[in-house]
């Protein structure tokens, strides 16, 4: 069925690849001496921080480097033929038939002006000269293979009418239509919900085995790599510093950079009382200012004089395990210990009698505009999107509440309602004992300064026209927290608190990386030492090292100032590490809430259990229960009757779930589950994880 090379040779072999870009400042060597190969039916992971050269390697394969990019040296042998120097017409034919690519953002590959059916069929009519009817039948078959619901309807829709997960499945189907020998996937699941991500990763693995496709999988998520790849290459500053089987890299990394990446990942069973993330200090060096010795030396806690003077070469330390490090042999023998994590005392969980924040049956509905004739004459029935639908919870002073759930479950709307950017339809919100049910513009000034928010995208809140120092100083001046003469010194202190030096005071936002912008946003949010900071997905798009730094920073702020935090995320391992309490939301309602340690062990709500089973775990030895939810989250405009989750629940009891709202069940210690299934039965559910012979959720 496939067109792969049957000779036994690798589908693709990259040998000593070197790539450069011509810039205004001269030539920049983006990739140097990269070597790897991918066998038929194998998934090879490419991992590293942003700017390490992962995507450049991928684009080199099909010569999509742009006008200023050029392959300087090396070979790219695809099915026995060298691609370097091939004519554009030949490469274009290969890109359509033998090599396919799936991008992080599916809208980069979808034409917003054409229906999905037209775009899919074009792949077959152009490259295989297939007739329209046969192409359409083949497209429907492939959409079914990627588990697309109602493929006939999907074929008639435009890209904007599909969810992110559906768009990504369309791109995967499009990439597989010609049964490519090589599939390149560049961060294909970064922007997806954990449940959709799990389904896409299952699909990738299934298609790899069924079609024997070779896959190059690029990601900064080591948990994803552990799930789908058999071998992995670690990129740093344009070089491959380690290449080995996945199990070996996770069990015993032989390069300090690889070990550093693994220490940045929150483990699903770890809490802030029991562990501390150890971020890699510093940043990836600029390509035009590379160190003279080992490129990782300025950030390496194990560096020696030889590292500063001499560039290491690649060598095989174990069979199939190659490393670019002077002291890899000592690492293999256990001679170089990992750096000791700094002393850290997690903030004590507050036991205040009066909660800092209290929500009682809060609802936030949006009126749905209608263009029907009846509505135009005032006779139509008003419809509402029930974004938040009766949420009740409490947050003690100085504690952290994690809020998790899929896109569309109401997490961000709840946060915006609390901070006053959305007005609640009904219910009561109390903060510091004061009713804050009114919008932010109508709240007392003293309340506003005690309640701040950090958004997922700092670009949406940082003004590109003003320097960093001015933007941090503005709330200080407006709220008169410090005397005017001391504002500059206070801004510098805040910059240092978020691990940025005084030089950043006069920098413009465009001069900062994504992680630096997020640190500035956090500095501005904590400038007035608020009682509560709401963080809406503040680390989801960041590299693991920057993510670790920001999580540690927020914990340090909480420890020093007693700040309470509401932390919204779809990454349950981050939430477990960071939170004292966790609320699981589904379609506007809280379906489970309680102390973090209780949420991550049985008894689970069936939805919580499914979320946990979908988390990519950075441990190849983890035995993880497989529970996949069918279908998508129903519309909040017309939610299901009874239990909102019954349309997707793998443990549905029957008609009672469809008729009646689930009762509140007290599992003890403040742990509440809203489900018709009896607690005794939920307690008998097997844990989602079993690791190294231990049952439970990665204790």
């Amino acid at each position: 069925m496939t067109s792969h090379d049957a000779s036994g040779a690798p589908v693709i072999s990259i040998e000593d690849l070197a790539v450069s870009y011509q810039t205004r400042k001269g030539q920049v060597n983006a990739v140097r001496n990269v070597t790897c190969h991918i066998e038929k039916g194998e998934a090879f992971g490419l991992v590293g921080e942003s700017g390490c050269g992962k995507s450049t390697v991928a684009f080199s394969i099909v010569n999509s480097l742009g006008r200023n990019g050029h392959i300087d040296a090396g070979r790219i042998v695809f099915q026995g033929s060298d691609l370097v120097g091939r004519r554009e017409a030949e490469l274009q034919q290969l890109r359509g038939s033998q090599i396919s690519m799936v991008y992080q953002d599916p809208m980069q590959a979808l034409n917003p002006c054409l229906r999905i059916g037209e775009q899919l069929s074009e792949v077959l009519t152009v490259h295989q000269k297939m007739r329209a009817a046969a192409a359409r039948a083949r497209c429907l078959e492939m959409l079914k293979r990627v588990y697309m619901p109602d493929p006939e309807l999907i074929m008639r829709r435009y890209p904007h009418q599909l969810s992110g997960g559906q768009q990504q499945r369309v791109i995967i189907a499009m990439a597989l239509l010609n049964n490519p020998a090589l599939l390149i996937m560049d961060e294909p699941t970064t922007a997806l919900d954990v449940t959709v991500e799990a389904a896409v990763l299952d699909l990738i693995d299934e298609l790899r085995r069924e079609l024997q496709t070779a896959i190059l999988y690029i990601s900064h998520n080591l948990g994803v790599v552990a799930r789908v790849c058999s071998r992995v290459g670690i990129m740093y500053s344009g070089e491959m510093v380690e290449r080995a089987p996945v199990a070996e890299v996770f069990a015993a990394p032989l390069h300090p950079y690889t070990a550093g990446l693994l220490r940045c990942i929150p483990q699903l069973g770890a809490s802030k009382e029991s562990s501390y993330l150890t971020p890699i200090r510093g940043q990836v060096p600029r390509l035009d200012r590379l160190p003279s010795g080992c490129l990782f030396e300025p950030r390496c806690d194990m560096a020696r004089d030889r590292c500063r003077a001499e560039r290491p070469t690649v060598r095989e330390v174990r069979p199939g395990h190659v490393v670019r490090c002077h002291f890899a042999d000592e690492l293999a023998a256990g001679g170089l210990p990992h750096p000791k994590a700094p002393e850290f005392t997690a903030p004590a969980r507050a036991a205040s009698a009066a909660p800092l924040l209290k929500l009682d049956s809060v609802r936030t509905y949006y009126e749905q505009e209608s263009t029907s004739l009846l509505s135009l004459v005032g006779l139509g029935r008003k419809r509402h999107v029930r974004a938040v639908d009766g949420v009740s919870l409490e947050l003690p002073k100085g504690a952290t509440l994690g809020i998790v759930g899929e896109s569309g479950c109401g997490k961000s709307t709840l946060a915006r309602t609390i901070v006053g950017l959305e007005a609640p339809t009904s219910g009561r919100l109390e903060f510091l004992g004061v009713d804050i049910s009114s919008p932010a513009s109508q709240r007392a000034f003293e309340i506003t300064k005690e309640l701040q928010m950090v958004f997922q995208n700092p670009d949406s809140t940082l003004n590109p026209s003003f320097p960093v120092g001015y933007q941090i100083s503005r709330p200080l001046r407006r709220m008169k927290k410090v005397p005017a003469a001391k504002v500059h010194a206070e801004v510098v202190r805040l910059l240092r608190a978020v691990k940025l030096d005084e030089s950043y005071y006069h920098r413009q936002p465009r001069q900062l990386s994504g992680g630096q912008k997020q640190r500035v946003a956090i500095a501005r949010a904590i400038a007035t030492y608020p009682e509560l900071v709401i963080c809406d997905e503040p680390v989801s798009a960041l590299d693991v090292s920057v993510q670790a730094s920001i999580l540690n920073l927020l914990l340090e702020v909480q420890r020093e100032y007693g700040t309470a935090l509401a932390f919204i995320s779809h990454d349950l391992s981050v939430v477990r590490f960071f939170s004292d309490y966790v609320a699981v939301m589904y379609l506007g309602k809280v379906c489970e809430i309680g102390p973090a340690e209780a949420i991550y062990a049985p008894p689970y709500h069936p939805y919580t259990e499914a979320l946990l089973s979908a988390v990519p775990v950075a441990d190849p030895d983890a035995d993880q229960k497989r529970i996949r939810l069918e279908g998508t989250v129903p519309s909040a405009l017309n939610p299901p009757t009874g239990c909102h989750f019954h349309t997707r629940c793998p443990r549905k009891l029957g008609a009672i779930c469809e008729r009646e709202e689930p009762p509140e069940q007290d599992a003890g210690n403040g742990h509440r589950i809203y489900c018709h299934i009896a607690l005794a039965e939920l307690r008998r559910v097997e844990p989602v994880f079993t690791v190294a012979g231990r049952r439970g959720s990665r204790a």
Side-chain angles (χ1 to χ4, degrees):
M1 184 174 181
T2 66
S3 55
H4 301 180
D5 180 16
S7 66
V11 173
I12 188 164
S13 181
I14 300 173
E15 303 170 9
D16 293 320
L17 179 67
V19 180
S20 66
Y21 289 96
Q22 194 65 36
T23 69
R24 287 179 296 176
K25 296 183 179 180
Q27 181 173 296
V28 173
N29 298 317
V31 167
R32 300 167 304 282
N33 307 118
V34 169
T35 297
C36 64
H37 70 273
I38 309 175
E39 305 284 350
K40 187 164 82 170
E42 179 189 22
F44 181 87
L46 208 55
V47 174
E49 294 170 280
S50 298
C52 283
K54 307 185 301 295
S55 295
T56 298
V57 171
F59 291 137
S60 299
I61 295 173
V62 289
N63 196 27
S64 294
L65 296 169
R67 292 184 177 181
N68 63 332
H70 185 262
I71 296 176
D72 297 321
R75 302 176 68 210
I76 302 175
V77 180
F78 175 69
Q79 294 186 324
S81 178
D82 195 345
L83 299 184
V84 178
R86 296 276 284 271
R87 291 181 301 166
E88 177 59 27
E90 295 178 281
L91 290 173
Q92 187 173 359
Q93 179 62 29
L94 279 175
R95 284 196 290 262
S97 59
Q98 293 294 297
I99 303 174
S100 295
M101 190 160 184
V102 177
Y103 297 89
Q104 177 177 350
D105 180 7
M107 289 304 289
Q108 288 183 342
L110 291 175
N111 188 328
C113 301
L114 296 178
R115 298 181 190 272
I116 296 300
E118 296 174 86
Q119 299 187 57
L120 289 172
S121 298
E122 185 180 36
V123 174
L124 297 171
T125 56
V126 170
H127 292 286
Q128 294 190 22
K129 309 303 179 185
M130 191 178 289
R131 292 184 179 274
R136 177 178 174 79
R138 168 77 173 147
C139 293
L140 286 171
E141 177 189 344
M142 187 56 71
L143 285 177
K144 292 175 183 177
R145 177 167 284 179
V146 298
Y147 302 108
M148 183 70 77
D150 200 352
E152 286 277 3
L153 178 62
I154 295 296
M155 291 276 282
R156 297 194 297 270
R157 287 185 171 176
Y158 289 94
H160 72 272
Q161 295 176 304
L162 307 183
S163 68
Q166 290 173 331
Q167 290 174 357
Q168 197 62 281
R169 293 186 196 202
V170 167
I171 292 300
I172 293 173
M174 185 182 295
L176 293 168
L177 278 173
N178 286 316
N179 296 326
L182 175 66
L183 180 61
I184 302 171
M185 312 195 82
D186 191 359
E187 299 274 12
T189 62
T190 298
L192 303 181
D193 282 324
V194 66
T195 51
V196 178
E197 177 183 59
V200 170
L201 295 179
D202 288 345
L203 171 65
I204 292 169
D205 191 55
E206 178 184 329
L207 295 173
R208 176 190 61 80
R209 287 184 279 105
E210 182 181 343
L211 302 178
Q212 285 293 288
T213 305
I215 296 176
L216 174 62
Y217 196 99
I218 299 170
S219 180
H220 69 267
N221 189 329
L222 288 164
V224 170
V225 169
R227 175 176 286 184
V228 301
C229 298
S230 57
R231 290 189 304 125
V232 61
I234 311 296
M235 294 282 295
Y236 183 76
S237 194
E239 296 180 347
M240 189 171 289
V241 296
E242 186 164 5
R243 185 177 74 248
V246 165
E248 285 192 27
V249 166
F250 280 84
L254 298 185
H255 195 284
Y257 178 61
T258 309
L261 290 177
L262 291 171
R263 288 194 298 272
C264 292
I265 305 171
Q267 299 299 314
L268 196 57
S271 66
K272 64 184 182 183
E273 288 85 5
S274 63
S275 63
Y276 183 83
L277 300 179
T278 309
I280 303 172
R281 56 186 171 86
Q283 299 175 3
V284 177
R286 287 177 47 173
L287 292 173
D288 58 347
R289 296 181 184 177
L290 295 176
S292 57
C294 173
L295 300 182
F296 188 59
E297 179 272 325
R299 306 175 71 191
C300 182
D301 294 314
M302 308 173 195
R304 302 178 184 178
D305 291 340
R306 183 183 177 187
C307 303
R308 287 178 277 275
E310 181 184 342
R311 185 72 59 87
T313 58
V314 174
R315 53 204 175 88
E316 190 172 49
V317 180
R318 296 172 180 156
H321 196 150
V322 299
V323 188
R324 189 186 295 272
C325 179
H326 291 305
F327 306 105
D329 292 314
E330 294 184 43
L331 277 168
L336 288 176
H338 293 314
K340 183 181 178 182
E343 294 293 329
F344 176 73
T345 303
R349 184 178 295 178
S352 173
L356 175 74
L357 176 71
K358 183 177 181 180
L359 276 60
D360 185 13
S361 300
V362 172
R363 290 176 170 81
T364 303
Y365 293 177
Y366 300 108
E367 186 173 338
Q368 177 74 9
E369 295 184 4
S370 176
T371 58
S372 68
L373 181 61
L374 287 175
S375 64
L376 292 176
V377 296
L379 299 177
R381 183 168 61 90
K382 291 184 178 180
R383 305 175 70 197
H384 294 85
V385 175
R386 302 178 183 183
V388 176
D389 196 11
V391 170
S392 299
L393 55 83
E394 295 182 357
L395 175 60
K397 180 180 175 62
T400 301
L401 171 69
I403 305 175
V404 300
E406 296 169 283
S407 297
C409 72
K411 307 186 301 295
S412 294
T413 301
L414 179 63
R416 293 171 65 86
T417 302
I418 294 171
V419 84
L421 297 178
E422 302 288 352
T425 304
S426 64
R428 182 176 176 84
L429 295 87
E430 287 187 6
F431 177 63
L432 293 171
V434 177
D435 187 349
I436 57 167
S437 301
S438 56
S441 60
Q442 300 174 18
R443 294 179 182 177
F445 182 74
E446 289 72 19
I447 293 296
T448 300
K449 71 179 183 180
E450 299 294 348
L451 182 55
Q452 297 296 315
M453 188 164 181
V454 178
F455 295 86
Q456 178 177 357
N457 182 9
D459 286 320
S460 64
T461 55
L462 293 179
N463 192 321
S465 303
F466 293 98
V468 164
Y470 172 82
Q471 300 196 52
I472 298 177
S473 68
R474 190 168 182 272
L476 291 172
R477 297 179 190 278
R478 186 169 183 270
M479 299 181 184
K480 300 179 180 179
K481 191 69 179 180
V482 296
K486 297 183 178 180
V487 167
H488 182 276
E490 179 64 11
V491 172
V492 172
R493 192 192 69 79
L494 286 166
L495 284 171
R496 288 174 177 160
V498 297
K499 307 298 187 293
L500 299 174
D501 58 44
E502 189 174 354
S503 67
Y504 285 84
Y505 191 100
H506 297 290
R507 293 192 188 184
Q508 300 290 335
R510 67 176 181 275
Q511 297 174 296
L512 275 57
S513 68
Q516 290 169 341
K517 290 176 186 177
Q518 197 62 284
R519 293 183 188 207
V520 170
I522 292 171
R524 187 173 61 179
I526 65 174
T528 58
Y529 315 118
E531 290 283 351
L532 173 62
V533 176
I534 299 175
C535 304
D536 189 3
E537 299 272 14
V539 298
S540 62
L542 304 180
D543 286 325
V544 290
S545 182
V546 178
Q547 172 183 280
S549 297
I550 288 179
L551 292 177
N552 286 340
L553 167 64
L554 289 171
L555 289 178
E556 289 167 9
V557 168
Q558 185 176 64
R559 178 183 57 182
E560 184 171 353
Y561 302 113
T563 304
L565 299 166
F567 190 87
I568 297 170
S569 179
H570 67 268
D571 189 333
L572 276 78
S573 57
V574 170
V575 169
R576 173 66 184 98
F577 167 79
F578 194 71
S579 303
D580 299 304
Y581 306 93
V582 176
V584 182
M585 289 189 67
Y586 184 79
L587 209 58
K589 291 182 176 292
V590 170
C591 60
E592 184 169 7
I593 188 170
E597 63 272 13
I599 299 294
Y600 286 76
Y604 307 115
H605 187 283
Y607 181 57
T608 308
E609 183 186 19
L611 291 179
L612 288 171
S613 77
V615 177
V617 179
D619 186 346
D621 296 327
D623 184 9
Q624 188 174 10
K625 188 188 297 185
R626 186 183 185 279
I627 302 171
R628 298 293 180 260
L629 300 179
E630 298 294 331
T632 58
V633 179
S635 170
L637 185 64
N638 186 27
T641 58
C643 174
H644 285 358
F645 186 56
H646 83 257
T647 58
R648 303 171 73 202
C649 182
R651 300 186 183 277
K652 179 179 174 181
L653 293 178
I656 188 173
C657 299
E658 301 173 6
R659 292 194 313 264
E660 301 177 19
E661 288 202 11
E664 176 186 311
Q665 300 190 77
D666 188 351
N669 194 30
H671 182 194
R672 305 193 306 274
I673 301 175
Y674 298 84
C675 185
H676 289 291
I677 303 172
L679 271 178
E681 185 174 344
L682 291 176
R683 286 193 172 98
R684 287 195 293 269
V685 171
E686 286 292 314
V688 170
F689 296 99
T690 303
V691 182
R694 299 192 308 272
R695 295 179 62 196
S697 53
R698 302 209 61 171

